Amino acid sequence: MKITVEMACSINGLIATKDGNEDFLSNRNYQIMLGFLKEYDCLVWGNTTFKNVISWGDNYIDDLKDVTIIIFSKEKQVSSYKNVIYCNSMENFLEIYKEKNIENVFVSGGAHINNLFLENNMVDEIIINYNPYVLTNGINLFNGNDVEKSLVLNKVVHEKEDIVQIWYKVKK
Ligand SMILES: NC(=O)c1ccc[n+]([C@@H]2O[C@H](COP(=O)([O-])OP(=O)(O)OC[C@H]3O[C@@H](n4cnc5c(N)ncnc54)[C@H](OP(=O)(O)O)[C@@H]3O)[C@@H](O)[C@H]2O)c1
């Protein structure tokens, strides 16, 4: 299994405003995610992120119609989207992963789900898109139990729209 966490943030590492708004991030960040997903077997989101994306309109979810999406939610839920599977714990995620023969997993938020994978020592790679924006108050890249990880720099890409993309390997 290979697990990548990929996120977009301000230069100071915030992924959304305090009330969950991502308007300061350009649409380029979503396009970058869609490009990456061609090389992965599934996209993992937390339910707060999923509900946010749904609120942006049908186009965003339509772009993902060929992607298997696994949504973490503690509630038992059935999806109205045929490509969306709910999972209620990390144990449940591992069952789904085995059942679906998933190899490469793309985790893209939010902060709690990134943290959950990191604290379980499951993340191999972290790719961060730093956007040209300062936000003094908001949601961090990771949130939850205390975790510390050493990283190794793998690559730096000068992306479009002044985005700097940094690839790190996680030391295990
Ligand atoms: N800039 C970016 O790249 C980017 C990417 C993604 C998200 N975001 C932003 O990040 C914010 C959301 O982040 P967040 O940390 O608040 O929420 P989140 O990680 O997206 O989702 C949290 C939810 O996941 C479920 N969950 C958490 N731990 C779980 C566990 N152990 N087992 C099963 N389910 C679990 C719970 O859903 P239930 O409440 O249903 O139980 C919880 O409320 C939003 O503003 C979003 O727009 C930004």
Side-chain angles (χ1 to χ4, degrees):
M1 188 191 328
K2 176 191 166 190
I3 302 192
T4 299
V5 168
E6 191 263 1
M7 295 294 288
C9 64
S10 65
I11 61 158
N12 52 319
L14 299 184
I15 62 169
T17 61
K18 226 176 166 186
D19 57 0
N21 191 303
E22 288 188 47
D23 287 351
F24 67 94
L25 297 169
S26 80
N27 188 261
R28 177 71 197 148
N29 296 283
Y30 205 76
Q31 299 308 318
I32 291 171
M33 181 189 78
L34 294 177
F36 276 124
L37 282 170
K38 291 176 187 148
E39 290 158 34
Y40 287 80
D41 303 316
C42 72
L43 165 65
V44 174
W45 273 336
N47 198 26
T48 307
T49 296
F50 185 47
K51 286 191 281 192
N52 240 5
V53 176
I54 289 172
S55 77
W56 298 344
D58 291 342
N59 288 353
Y60 288 88
I61 296 295
D62 285 352
D63 282 341
L64 293 167
K65 64 178 184 316
D66 298 325
V67 176
T68 299
I69 308 177
I70 301 176
I71 304 296
F72 272 79
S73 172
K74 289 180 181 158
E75 313 268 319
K76 225 172 172 55
Q77 303 200 39
V78 180
S79 173
S80 51
Y81 299 91
K82 64 177 190 314
N83 58 325
V84 171
I85 306 163
Y86 281 95
C87 93
N88 58 19
S89 64
M90 189 54 86
E91 292 70 29
N92 188 199
F93 169 80
L94 291 170
E95 286 165 8
I96 295 168
Y97 144 84
K98 275 192 195 142
E99 191 186 298
K100 301 260 175 215
N101 283 323
I102 289 169
E103 279 290 325
N104 299 323
V105 179
F106 194 82
V107 177
S108 194
H112 283 92
I113 294 312
N114 294 343
N115 213 80
L116 183 64
F117 278 85
L118 204 62
E119 76 182 62
N120 280 289
N121 210 23
M122 291 168 74
V123 181
D124 299 292
E125 180 181 52
I126 299 176
I127 303 172
I128 305 295
N129 295 294
Y130 287 96
N131 284 244
Y133 202 82
V134 174
L135 181 69
T136 57
N137 202 354
I139 301 173
N140 279 298
L141 282 162
F142 299 93
N143 193 6
N145 294 328
D146 289 352
V147 184
E148 294 189 28
K149 289 282 171 200
S150 289
L151 309 177
V152 178
L153 181 64
N154 184 21
K155 189 160 58 169
V156 179
V157 179
H158 187 162
E159 248 290 341
K160 289 179 186 158
E161 299 188 27
D162 292 342
I163 295 168
V164 178
Q165 186 178 77
I166 308 196
W167 298 51
Y168 296 105
K169 295 267 179 222
V170 179
K171 277 193 188 174
K172 292 215 175 169

